[in-house]
Amino acid sequence: PEIAFHFSNETRAILRLPKRKSVKERLEDIFSKDDVSSLYFDSVQDMNAELEGYISSPANLKKNRLSQFFYINKRPVDYRHFSFHLARAYDSMLPKSSYPMAVFFMSIPSDLVDVNVHPAKKEVKIFDSSYCDGLIYGLARKALSTHEQQALFHHDRELQEQPNVSHLPVNEGVRTEYPDQDSAGEELFNQATA
């Protein structure tokens, strides 16, 4: 994001991206406001690597994987397991033929990654692919569960803030409290057929 980028075709500007202070600002340059507002951010870190990134809410999915990006040490890479582990994290929230948006950045010591696997240097070999897979899955799961818990918290809070209806007048002809659960159905039946 700290680099301005200008792409043109002869005399016509195709893409102009000004210098930005954050990745989120850069994402706002590229994607729609709705897409960016649906992204969850989180990070995980251990002794060997740090992984941070954005992943879309289950309500904002795409029809293909074109909005999934993975960077290792600021280099865009093709990591064949990336999409699979994102889908695993969504579990049953991901309908068939739907894909989350994701932009993940891994920082890892250069001696633990081999960038000379492919001539274009788009594919990399990581010292332990299962380690990388675990980080990807862990970050996606953490971001989704954190935001699910926040959504539940806000929903519970909204329910608590609703007006208390116990003080409202009760229809005198309908009994609203039952001494035991078994007689409740019978009592309602008798009232309805009377």
Side-chain angles (χ1 to χ4, degrees):
E2 59 274 355
I3 298 172
F5 184 79
H6 177 78
F7 178 68
S8 61
N9 182 3
E10 295 179 14
T11 59
R12 194 176 118 222
I14 306 291
L15 185 63
R16 186 180 303 246
L17 300 174
K19 204 166 149 176
R20 296 293 185 199
K21 293 179 183 175
S22 70
V23 170
K24 187 159 188 181
E25 287 179 353
R26 176 64 79 219
L27 293 174
E28 290 169 348
D29 289 336
I30 299 168
F31 297 106
S32 74
K33 289 191 185 293
D34 289 340
D35 285 343
V36 175
S37 68
S38 82
L39 295 175
Y40 302 152
F41 175 82
D42 220 316
S43 64
V44 293
Q45 181 176 346
D46 73 0
M47 290 174 51
N48 291 319
E50 180 181 349
L51 182 65
E52 64 180 25
Y54 296 87
I55 190 165
S56 63
S57 77
N60 189 22
L61 302 172
K62 301 298 178 187
K63 300 282 184 209
N64 56 48
R65 294 180 183 93
L66 296 176
S67 295
Q68 295 180 351
F69 303 93
F70 188 49
Y71 297 82
I72 296 180
N73 296 338
K74 298 186 178 183
R75 177 192 306 261
V77 296
D78 292 331
Y79 186 66
R80 62 182 172 178
H81 303 294
F82 184 55
S83 187
F84 172 75
H85 293 297
L86 293 176
R88 273 186 54 218
Y90 278 81
D91 195 27
S92 61
M93 297 181 287
L94 195 62
K96 189 175 180 172
S97 300
S98 295
Y99 304 91
M101 291 179 65
V103 183
F104 280 22
F105 302 91
M106 179 180 274
S107 297
I108 191 167
S110 58
D111 60 328
L112 300 178
V113 61
D114 183 2
V115 296
N116 295 316
V117 176
H118 188 272
K121 302 192 186 295
K122 286 282 286 175
E123 293 178 23
V124 295
K125 183 176 180 182
I126 299 172
F127 74 100
D128 183 356
S129 62
S130 63
Y131 169 79
C132 183
D133 296 346
L135 284 175
I136 292 168
Y137 173 77
L139 175 59
R141 206 49 234 139
K142 180 183 175 194
L144 290 168
S145 63
T146 298
H147 284 79
E148 287 171 6
Q149 289 172 357
Q150 287 176 353
L152 285 173
F153 173 77
H154 291 299
H155 178 71
D156 288 348
R157 184 175 237 174
E158 287 172 4
L159 289 176
Q160 291 173 358
E161 291 173 355
Q162 288 182 354
N164 187 350
V165 293
S166 62
H167 67 280
L168 297 176
V170 176
N171 185 346
E172 297 294 328
V174 178
R175 186 172 177 197
T176 57
E177 293 179 14
Y178 301 99
D180 61 62
Q181 201 66 1
D182 293 334
S183 66
E186 184 180 327
E187 182 96 8
L188 284 171
F189 177 77
N190 289 338
Q191 287 179 5
T193 55

